[in-house]
């Protein structure tokens, strides 16, 4: 292997762009080790490690990487990247259930981007903030936020941003019990991600389509999409999303009275949620298992 940290970093970036997150991490770690006193490269390694750890469900590690990236870019006087690091930290905190703190970070970052006239950063933060509002239970605020972010990404011609806003709208609509709208949003998002070749987006939208079908009572159709989502998440190595897919699939099996398959899915998901310290997912699974046992 070459000992040039820049070459190694570029290899890692290509792996990450191809959703090969587990292969990217050791390359980033090696590039960081070899970066020595190069604060610019070291901060880039911490940034990318934060993003990559977050994509595979290592949220605590991601948060630490974003904090270190923030410290380094502040020393370099880079205001925009300092805000980027804050948003990454907020996303990690949101995933760990620290919604109040995450929202405070997103609000702070949003003001910062608006002050600097950074529309792209503001759009991404609006999307992140809307996701936190959904977790908080503010569905009206979440839907409004996703729509506003979608409009901003459309102006920027950022198709990936539009795709992730569509998945956000799909999720918020499902929780809001508008299952037809949820299905439409996720299906539209899936088309966007397929055109972009975004494996994570494809898997995420497959899972969303499956859950909207599940809520519409179309359980057999839902199982076909859960299977597609699982296959793609396995390639990526995203344990948290895979665990949520298992829970959704198990819930569909439960409604079809295929209780053994449902129990297997719930138990596997419990192990993954424990590993990734996802308390929300763990509670969902424990409730589902208790329903099976009560039955």
């Amino acid at each position: 292997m070459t000992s040039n940290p820049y070459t190694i970093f570029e290899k890692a970036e290509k792996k990450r762009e191809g959703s090969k997150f587990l292969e990217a991490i050791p390359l980033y770690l090696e590039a960081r080790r070899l970066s020595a006193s190069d604060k610019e490269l070291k901060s880039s390694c911490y940034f990318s490690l934060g993003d990559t750890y977050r994509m595979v469900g290592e949220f605590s590690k991601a948060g630490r990487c974003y904090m270190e990236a923030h410290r380094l870019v502040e020393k370099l006087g880079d205001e925009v990247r300092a805000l980027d690091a804050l948003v990454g930290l907020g996303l990690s905190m949101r995933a760990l259930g620290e919604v109040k703190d995450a929202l405070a970070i997103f609000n702070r970052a949003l003001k910062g981007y608006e002050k600097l006239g950074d529309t792209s950063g503001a759009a991404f933060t609006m999307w992140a903030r809307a996701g936190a509002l959904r977790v908080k239970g503010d569905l009206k605020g979440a839907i409004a936020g996703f729509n506003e972010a979608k409009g901003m990404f459309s102006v920027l011609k950022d198709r990936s941003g539009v795709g992730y806003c569509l998945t956000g709208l799909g999720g918020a609509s499902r929780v809001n019990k508008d299952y037809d709208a949820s299905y439409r949003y996720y299906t539209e998002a899936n088309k966007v991600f397929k055109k972009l070749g975004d494996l994570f987006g494809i898997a995420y939208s497959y899972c969303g389509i499956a859950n909207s079908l599940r809520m519409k009572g179309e359980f057999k159709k839902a199982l076909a999409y859960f299977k597609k989502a699982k296959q793609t998440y396995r390639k990526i190595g995203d344990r948290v999303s895979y665990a949520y897919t298992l829970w959704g699939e198990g819930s569909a099996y439960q409604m079809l009275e295929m209780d053994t398959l449902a129990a297997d899915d719930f138990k596997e998901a419990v192990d993954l949620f424990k590993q990734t310290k996802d308390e929300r997912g763990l509670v969902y699974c424990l409730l589902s298992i208790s329903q099976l046992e009560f039955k």
Side-chain angles (χ1 to χ4, degrees):
M1 183 189 282
T2 177
S3 59
N4 185 326
Y6 288 95
T7 305
I8 296 168
F9 179 79
E10 286 305 317
K11 281 184 181 178
E13 289 284 89
K14 284 178 182 175
K15 293 284 188 186
R16 182 164 69 95
E17 285 165 15
S19 297
K20 295 178 180 177
F21 303 121
L22 296 176
E23 292 177 33
I25 289 169
L27 291 170
Y28 284 129
L29 292 171
E30 181 66 5
R32 186 187 69 182
R33 186 182 70 80
L34 294 169
S35 63
S37 59
D38 187 337
K39 287 193 177 74
E40 188 65 47
L41 178 59
K42 197 181 285 286
S43 67
S44 295
C45 288
Y46 274 115
F47 259 113
S48 293
L49 275 168
D51 290 342
T52 312
Y53 278 133
R54 190 163 55 79
M55 296 307 282
V56 297
E58 296 277 4
F59 302 119
S60 296
K61 284 183 181 178
R64 289 195 292 272
C65 287
Y66 287 127
M67 283 192 280
E68 188 58 25
H70 184 265
R71 186 184 71 80
L72 288 168
V73 293
E74 276 208 319
K75 282 188 177 181
L76 292 167
D78 191 331
E79 289 182 74
V80 172
R81 290 178 76 215
L83 290 170
D84 293 347
L86 277 180
V87 176
L89 176 60
L91 285 167
S92 304
M93 295 173 83
R94 187 187 78 181
L96 289 166
E98 298 169 26
V99 181
K100 187 178 178 182
D101 292 335
L103 280 168
I105 286 174
F106 294 144
N107 289 333
R108 176 183 162 190
L110 202 55
K111 286 178 185 175
Y113 284 125
E114 286 168 354
K115 184 181 175 183
L116 294 171
D118 186 336
T119 310
S120 179
F124 185 81
T125 308
M126 184 66 73
W127 167 81
R129 184 177 178 275
L133 289 172
R134 178 198 155 183
V135 176
K136 183 186 174 187
D138 180 0
L139 298 178
K140 187 178 178 182
I143 290 168
F146 284 130
N147 273 316
E148 188 171 350
K150 180 171 168 282
M152 294 165 81
F153 281 126
S154 295
V155 171
L156 292 164
K157 294 183 169 60
D158 184 335
R159 289 189 299 158
S160 178
V162 169
Y164 281 102
C165 287
L166 286 168
T167 61
L169 285 164
S173 297
R174 186 181 69 245
V175 179
N176 205 33
K177 298 183 180 178
D178 190 347
Y179 307 129
D180 289 332
S182 178
Y183 178 80
R184 286 196 306 272
Y185 284 129
Y186 278 124
T187 302
E188 194 179 341
N190 188 258
K191 289 175 185 174
V192 171
F193 292 133
K194 280 181 176 175
K195 283 181 183 176
L196 294 171
D198 182 337
L199 279 183
F200 178 83
I202 291 167
Y204 194 82
S205 52
Y206 274 147
C207 189
I209 291 168
N211 275 315
S212 60
L213 287 168
R214 176 174 64 85
M215 297 309 291
K216 281 155 65 81
E218 298 178 40
F219 304 117
K220 288 184 180 177
K221 281 187 184 177
L223 288 172
Y225 281 100
F226 280 128
K227 185 178 179 182
K228 288 181 179 182
K230 281 166 61 180
Q231 287 169 343
T232 314
Y233 279 134
R234 277 197 205 101
K235 291 178 189 174
I236 295 170
D238 182 345
R239 292 180 296 164
V240 170
S241 298
Y242 184 74
Y244 274 107
T245 307
L246 284 170
W247 174 78
E249 182 183 65
S251 299
Y253 279 136
Q254 190 174 7
M255 296 306 292
L256 290 167
E257 298 192 353
M258 300 167 79
D259 293 350
T260 302
L261 290 171
D264 289 344
D265 272 354
F266 294 145
K267 284 170 186 171
E268 188 179 350
V270 163
D271 289 340
L272 289 168
F273 284 132
K274 283 180 178 176
Q275 287 172 32
T276 54
K277 298 176 183 175
D278 190 312
E279 292 185 3
R280 186 167 63 113
L282 189 59
V283 168
Y284 285 169
C285 285
L286 293 175
L287 284 170
S288 297
I289 289 167
S290 69
Q291 286 173 341
L292 278 180
E293 289 180 353
F294 178 76
K295 184 179 173 183

